[in-house]
Amino acid sequence: MGGAVGLFLSARLFGVAVLALASWRTGRNPLALLGRSWDSLWYLGIAAHGYVRTEHTHLGWVSDMAFFPLYPALVRAVTALSPLSGGAAGLVVSWTAAAVAACGIYAVGARLHGRAVGTALVLLWGLLPHSVVLSMAYTEPVLSAFAAWTLYALLTGRLLWAGALAALAGLSRPNAFALAATVVAAALWETGRCIRERRRVTHRLWTAAAIAPTGWVAYVLWVGRHEGSVLRGYFDLQRRWGSRFDFGEGAWQFVRHLLLQGDRLVFPMSLVIVAAGVVLYALLLADRAPLPLLVYTGVLLLVVLGGSGFFECKPRFLIPAFPLLIPLARALVRTARARPWHATVVVGALAGLSYCYGAYLLVLANMPL
C-alpha cells in the first residue's frame, strides 16, 4: 500500500508543480487558486459563518444550503485546532482525504485483482484529466475516501461498518446517496442469498441498510424544513442553482448545442470524459464486477447523465467513481508485464494530459469547476 500511495502523492505533487508554474507566469497565487476557487469559497464561508449566505447570480437568488455540511465542519475543526486560515485548512482536509482515499482504492483493487492492479488503480485515479480537483479545497476527495472504504467494507462482509461510513458520507455531497443505495442493495442481495440457502438473516443486514441513508436524508429534510417544505425544499433550492434531475433532457440539449454549434475546449472535453465513463461502465459490467461496485458507479453515472446544470462540472462528479478505472488498471498491468516501455509511454501521456489540462482549468479557462 505504501508504494501505491507514494505514487499517488508523487503524481499529485507534480500536478501541483505544473499548476504553480502556470499560475506564476500569469501573476496568480497557486495556493489561492487551489484553496479559494469557485465552490471552495462557499464551503469556506459556511465554515467561518455557518449557513447565512444568499447571493444573486445569473441563475437568480441562490443559497449556501445547497452545500452539504461535513466538509465545512472539518475545515472549521482544523481552523479551531491550528493557526491555519480557512483556505489552508480546506487544503489540509482535502489532501488528507485524498491520501485516505488512495489507501482505500488500493485496498479495493488489491482485494479484487492483486496488489499490482491496486497500485495501477491508484495511479490512474491520480492522473485523471480532472484530478486537479483532488488537490483543491473541494469535497470530492472526502466522498472518494468514504466511498473507497465503504466498498472495501462491503467486499469484506463488514456491513455495519459500510452502513456507518455511508451515513457519514451522506453529509458530504448530494451524490453521496449512491453509497447508501449501494449498502441497501448489498443488504438486500445478501438477504436473498440467506433465504435461498435457508440461513438466518442477521440483524446486521437490516441495521446497515437502515443507517446508510440517514446522513443524506437528515440534511435534505433539515434544509427542506428551513425552506418551508420538508420534502420539496432542498430540491427547490437545487433547482434555483440550475441543478435538477430531468432524465437527461438538459444534458441532451447541451450536447445538441455542442455538436451543432461548437464551443470552448472545456465542453468537448467534458463530453468525451462522460462518454468514456459510460464505456468503462460497460467494461465493468462485462468483467462481472461485484454488485456493490456496479450499483455505486451505476448510480453516480445515472446522476451525471440524468442531471442538468453545469455540464462542465460533470467530469468532476465522476472522480469518486474510481471502480470505473478497474478495467484500465488491469489492462495497464498486463501491458507493463509484457511491454514495460509501452506502459511507461501510456502513463507519461496520461500524466501530461492531467497536468496540462488541470492547469488550463484553473489558470486559463475561468469556468466553474
Side-chain angles (χ1 to χ4, degrees), residues 147 150-151 154-155 175-189 281 284-285 288-303 320-321 323-324:
T150 299
L151 292 175
L154 289 173
L155 293 175
N175 56 351
F177 73 84
L179 278 177
T182 301
V183 174
V184 171
L188 291 174
W189 179 268
Y281 187 71
L284 204 62
L285 284 170
R288 298 182 179 180
L291 179 68
L293 274 61
L294 295 176
V295 173
Y296 171 66
T297 51
V299 172
L300 287 181
L301 262 179
L302 180 63
V303 171
L324 293 175

Side-chain angles (χ1 to χ4, degrees), residues 185-249:
L188 291 174
W189 179 268
E190 185 63 24
T191 298
R193 194 167 72 170
C194 289
I195 293 173
R196 289 194 302 272
E197 297 175 1
R198 297 182 179 179
R199 293 186 286 115
R200 186 170 66 90
V201 178
T202 67
H203 73 89
R204 296 184 304 109
L205 297 176
W206 298 111
T207 303
I211 65 176
T214 54
W216 189 87
V217 170
Y219 184 71
V220 167
L221 295 180
W222 180 78
V223 173
R225 182 175 178 273
H226 182 275
E227 294 292 304
S229 175
V230 173
L231 296 180
R232 292 180 48 192
Y234 173 78
F235 302 101
D236 290 341
L237 184 149
Q238 284 283 13
R239 274 192 287 274
R240 292 199 293 274
W241 275 91
S243 178
R244 67 186 187 280
F245 191 83
D246 59 3
F247 299 94
E249 179 183 354

